[in-house]
Amino acid sequence: MASVQGLGSVLSKFWDEYSVKTPQRLKLIDCYLAYIVLTGVIQFMYCCLVGTFPFNSFLSGFISCIGSFVLAVCLRVQSNPANKDQFKGITSQRAFGDFIFAHCVLHLVAMNFLG
């Protein structure tokens, strides 16, 4: 029982610090990351329950989710004010532009893979 209370206090402290110290832009990216994970889980569950008849479609959608997640994590790391010393020549606007360009390339490849 003590470990459950300890876990609850750790999660409570984490949430309090996250809500106070994290900029709004990063919270928005975190919501997008949660959405991507949820979409990938739903696609995987659908594949397990219904089957993989159009296997290229499943692979294209799932790989698109994974690629989108990786690109969003890169955007979050580059947009984080705490990491400005590691990304000296990259502004938030350039990081977002790179994110959009990479997303376009990713989705063009995914659409071509559909067949």
Side-chain angles (χ1 to χ4, degrees), residues 14-33:
F14 170 76
W15 181 254
D16 291 341
E17 287 188 17
Y18 177 81
S19 61
V20 170
K21 293 183 180 179
T22 305
Q24 192 69 24
R25 180 180 298 158
L26 295 182
K27 289 179 186 176
L28 184 63
I29 295 172
D30 290 340
C31 289
Y32 178 64
L33 287 169

Side-chain angles (χ1 to χ4, degrees), residues 45-59:
M45 286 175 37
Y46 179 83
C47 180
C48 289
L49 294 174
V50 176
T52 62
F53 167 61
F55 195 63
N56 282 358
S57 297
F58 165 70
L59 279 181

Side-chain angles (χ1 to χ4, degrees), residues 62-85:
F62 196 70
I63 290 171
S64 178
C65 284
I66 293 171
S68 296
F69 185 84
V70 169
L71 291 174
V73 167
C74 292
L75 176 65
R76 189 188 194 289
V77 168
Q78 291 178 353
S79 298
N80 192 351
N83 297 336
K84 285 295 181 189
D85 58 338

Side-chain angles (χ1 to χ4, degrees), residues 5-18:
Q5 290 175 347
L7 179 65
S9 67
V10 167
L11 290 176
S12 175
K13 183 176 180 184
F14 170 76
W15 181 254
D16 291 341
E17 287 188 17
Y18 177 81

